């Protein structure tokens, strides 16, 4: 079974999160960890790049690039544009960030490093993203359409169903 990115590069899902039409299957049919990642992804997919936001803040949010990639664990994830992905990768690979792998402290640790003025050296190679078949989708959806809004699905669930699904909605706009 292959892996797919949904909405942002970085978090890869087994193809079985999609139905035969290529749409994300309902949350109730997903495993708990996949469900949580999908909810966080749906919440963060249209967010500004964390690094851009640290530079511009809410006052100049229009200057921020939209996120293209996501790293980390739900609740401690970092979303970045392609301009700042190399800064994150440098921090993670070369400047101690790997010590936060799998930890919720990854986000605040990267934010602190970046806010202190640290950056990847000029010419630092990030990741080369290769599309397996860039022509496979003639009319690819835009970023906002690339993953469904789960808000309606979650609102239709009663408290018992939400408890049974073990969903953490505390930090999400759902």
């Amino acid at each position: 079974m292959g892996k797919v990115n949904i909405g942002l590069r970085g978090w890869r899902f087994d193809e079985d999160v999609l139905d035969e039409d290529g749409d994300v299957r309902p949350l109730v049919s997903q495993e708990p960890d996949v469900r949580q990642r999908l909810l966080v992804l749906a919440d963060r997919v249209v967010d500004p790049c964390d690094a851009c936001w640290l530079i511009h803040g809410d006052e100049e949010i229009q200057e921020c690039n939209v996120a293209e990639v996501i790293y980390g664990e739900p609740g401690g994830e970092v979303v970045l544009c392609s301009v700042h992905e190399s800064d994150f990768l440098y921090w993670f690979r070369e400047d101690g960030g790997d010590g936060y792998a799998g930890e919720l402290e990854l986000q605040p640790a990267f934010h602190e490093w970046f806010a202190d003025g640290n950056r990847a050296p000029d010419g630092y190679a990030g990741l080369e993203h290769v599309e397996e078949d860039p022509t496979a989708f003639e009319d690819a959806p835009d970023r906002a359409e690339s993953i469904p809004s789960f808000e309606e699905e979650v609102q239709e669930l009663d408290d018992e169903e939400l408890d049974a699904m073990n969903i953490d909605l505390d930090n999400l706009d759902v």
Side-chain angles (χ1 to χ4, degrees), residues 44 47 53 58 77 105 120 123 134 165 169:
R44 299 293 315 265
D47 281 1
W53 179 80
D58 289 332
E77 74 279 349
E105 291 79 22
M165 290 174 58
L169 301 174

Side-chain angles (χ1 to χ4, degrees), residues 22 28 42 73 83 99 138 140 167:
V28 70
E73 297 301 319
V83 173
E138 291 181 26
I167 294 178

Side-chain angles (χ1 to χ4, degrees), residues 28-173:
V28 70
S29 67
Q30 306 286 356
E31 293 295 320
D33 61 327
V34 171
R35 218 180 356 247
Q36 192 64 42
R37 284 184 182 271
L38 287 169
L39 284 167
V40 169
L41 189 59
D43 190 52
R44 299 293 315 265
V45 73
V46 293
D47 281 1
C49 163
D50 286 1
C52 288
W53 179 80
L54 289 167
I55 293 168
H56 300 289
D58 289 332
E59 314 76 49
E60 297 178 17
I61 196 101
Q62 71 280 0
E63 298 297 320
C64 297
N65 295 323
V66 176
E68 296 176 54
V69 65
I70 188 167
Y71 290 107
E73 297 301 319
E77 74 279 349
V78 175
V79 294
L80 301 155
C81 65
S82 58
V83 173
H84 292 111
E85 183 180 17
S86 61
D87 294 319
F88 176 85
L89 292 172
Y90 176 80
W91 169 75
F92 190 84
R93 294 174 178 164
E94 314 290 339
D95 207 8
D98 61 340
Y100 296 96
E103 303 293 330
L104 296 180
E105 291 79 22
L106 179 112
Q107 182 192 70
F110 173 72
H111 283 191
E112 182 179 340
W113 180 86
F114 191 87
D116 284 345
N118 295 296
R119 302 293 186 272
D122 288 341
Y124 183 77
L127 287 178
E128 185 175 326
H129 299 284
V130 177
E131 301 259 349
E132 286 186 22
D133 186 3
T135 62
F137 300 105
E138 291 181 26
D139 296 318
D142 67 21
R143 189 175 316 285
E145 295 172 334
S146 62
I147 61 173
S149 168
F150 295 115
E151 186 172 352
E152 191 174 303
E153 183 179 347
V154 169
Q155 288 176 347
E156 290 175 3
L157 299 171
D158 63 32
D159 290 339
E160 284 181 20
E161 291 171 313
L162 283 172
D163 287 343
M165 290 174 58
N166 194 25
I167 294 178
D168 180 8
L169 301 174
D170 292 341
N171 296 320
L172 303 177
D173 294 329

